[in-house]
Amino acid sequence: MLDFALWKRATVWGLVLLGLLFAAPNVFYSRVEGHNDALKAIETQGATPELIASRDGWPGWLPSGLVNLGLDLRGGAHLLAEVQVEDVFADRMDALWPDVRDALRAVRDQVGPIRRIEGTPGLLQVRLSEPEGMAAALEAVRALTRPIVSLTGVGASDIEVSGEGAVLTVQLSEPEKQATIDRTLRQSLEIVRRRIDEVGTREPTIQRQGEDRILIEVPGIGSADELKALIGTTARLTFNPVVSRTTNPNEAPGASNVLLPSMDEKGTYYIIEKTPVVSGEDLTDAQPAFDQNGAPSVTFRFNPSGARKFGQYTAENVGSPFAIVLDDEVISAPVIREAIPSGSGQITGNFSVEESTNLAVLLRAGALPAELTFLEERTIGPQLGADSIEAGKIASAAAFLLVLGFMWASYGLFGLFANVALIVNIGLIFGLLSLIGATLTLPGIAGIVLTIGMAVDANVLVFERIREELKTAKGPARAIELGYQRALSAILDANITTFLTAVILFVMGSGPVRGFAVTLAIGIVTSVFAAIYVTRLMVVMWMERRRPKTIVL
């Protein structure tokens, strides 16, 4: 029992000191200017924790991370968005049109000239000049169908082809629509998350609700409008062939074309082909840069598929203009001087440095596959959070004092050792929360309060076991050694099962449930460490110093 190696002692006290150092900035900031004020300065003024620490006297070379406060404690923005999946269906039909057109051209002698019928979203309708060739047209277009790669649509085709009179209709099959909705929601969730993370926002809650809705909650952001400005831009980049340039905003673009305004040149419009040569989905990277004239620009690079299409188009259309379109506005329409087989290029325009940086961020994060319509938006103030924090402080302090009093009254000096370990345990919890950047929510505070009550369980098991051993063992040192040895298995069994429960809550739960699980899991780890090593080390040091003949528990 008394053989506690020097390296073990150094390791235990080193870990305790490190944990308390990581926790200290939270106490320091709260004492100097208030936790929320420090966080607000970091978020809104662009200051780093190190700068705030240095300004207030905290050494900049020490850990300076803060525990993030959740939306319920700190305030922030709440949005409920609906994904317009119908736009995705329409885009799929637009992308399919060139293949359908080529397939029908192969049987032109039977179907005659063809013309696409516009105006029906989600449907691709083609009018045949010779209705008697409908059977040949159906056979040709049905050859374009592909099997669905989805658990819900095994064996089904991605499109349905039908004909009535002289009109051939192509639409997505129902299994494909469901698979498309699922893919679109997953892609939208990931892109929204990457956009928010790209600008350093801490611990957002982004999750799917229902079939086509997304819940977005971001703590610490100033307003719902700021959040909408960040994620509301679709950032759909396409490269389209230019048909003509005009100053008439009412000019008819013609079939399969669209009229779009120029972003930089007011009063200038471009008629472009609706079907793009390549889209932003093929981008692998986008970075802010400067062009040959020193003006801000954005460089981009395509994946192999996009590079091949881009290189083939530029090789076949040297001398022709093509439009770079962002969210239905023509950024620029340069003339192709030479083939670009490398799959990389540069977007120039009347950008500021900030605009080019933001555009690169949006393109790098990826284009939203469909427009988001915001059904509900709220800006949540920190007043409720202040009340919750105050109530949490009172609950934690009450639990803390009651546990301290109980342990002292029940186990005397050993109870004081356990109390010191409990204080260290709380410091370690906040140190780990600061280190991993976890978010503290109101359920998280409940997890900490619960941990305070559970933290002394291991010490109670050890001390009760020591009491039993004192009745049979030859001396206090042997009784303490046997007490720790024989209580260890019970301590590990109890805490491992609770830890597994916390892990399951974290994996299966979301939002507040995960916040509770995080603090509970961290509390279990620190509690076991404090009971098995910190308390034991204090007992060992006391035994070495006092060498008591008897102990009273």
Side-chain angles (χ1 to χ4, degrees), residues 36-119:
N36 281 339
D37 292 338
L39 285 173
K40 183 177 180 181
I42 293 172
E43 295 290 340
T44 62
Q45 299 175 11
T48 64
E50 291 79 4
L51 291 177
I52 292 178
S54 299
R55 185 189 67 200
D56 293 326
W58 181 262
W61 52 271
L62 288 177
S64 52
L66 298 176
V67 175
N68 303 319
L69 299 184
L71 192 68
D72 52 353
L73 299 180
R74 184 174 161 198
H78 164 101
L79 293 176
L80 181 63
E82 184 178 58
V83 181
Q84 301 300 314
V85 292
E86 293 81 5
D87 295 344
V88 181
F89 299 157
D91 290 344
R92 287 283 301 275
M93 292 298 100
D94 289 339
L96 187 62
W97 165 237
D99 294 333
V100 172
R101 181 181 57 201
D102 293 342
L104 293 177
R105 281 176 179 171
V107 291
R108 184 183 181 89
D109 56 336
Q110 300 179 59
V111 302
I114 60 172
R115 180 174 63 86
R116 181 177 179 181
I117 303 174
E118 302 285 352

Side-chain angles (χ1 to χ4, degrees), residues 425 455 458 488 491-492 494-496 522-534:
N425 181 30
L488 182 61
I491 293 171
L492 293 179
N495 285 279
I496 287 175
I522 290 176
I524 291 169
V525 173
T526 57
S527 298
V528 172
F529 171 77
I532 294 179
Y533 292 102
V534 178

Side-chain angles (χ1 to χ4, degrees), residues 411-433:
Y411 301 105
L413 180 61
F414 278 46
L416 289 179
F417 292 153
N419 289 341
V420 173
L422 179 59
I423 296 172
V424 170
N425 181 30
I426 300 301
L428 292 179
I429 291 175
F430 279 93
L432 284 175
L433 288 174

Side-chain angles (χ1 to χ4, degrees), residues 404-469:
L404 292 181
F406 172 79
M407 292 300 292
W408 185 24
S410 299
Y411 301 105
L413 180 61
F414 278 46
L416 289 179
F417 292 153
N419 289 341
V420 173
L422 179 59
I423 296 172
V424 170
N425 181 30
I426 300 301
L428 292 179
I429 291 175
F430 279 93
L432 284 175
L433 288 174
S434 300
L435 177 63
I436 67 177
T439 296
L440 182 62
T441 60
L442 192 57
I445 293 179
I448 293 176
V449 174
L450 178 61
T451 299
I452 293 173
M454 296 171 55
V456 294
D457 282 357
N459 285 317
V460 170
L461 289 172
V462 171
F463 296 161
E464 289 297 328
R465 192 69 187 182
I466 292 175
R467 276 180 174 173
E468 294 179 6
E469 297 299 333

Side-chain angles (χ1 to χ4, degrees), residues 281-335:
E281 294 178 358
D282 295 311
L283 281 177
T284 58
D285 191 25
Q287 298 291 339
F290 293 92
D291 62 16
Q292 63 271 20
N293 299 319
S297 64
V298 176
T299 59
F300 62 87
R301 185 171 67 252
F302 290 118
N303 59 24
S305 174
R308 184 175 62 256
K309 291 185 287 186
F310 189 65
Q312 181 180 351
Y313 177 80
T314 54
E316 296 174 352
N317 293 273
V318 173
S320 302
F322 76 108
I324 303 174
V325 182
L326 177 68
D327 289 340
D328 294 332
E329 285 187 308
V330 177
I331 298 178
S332 60
V335 175

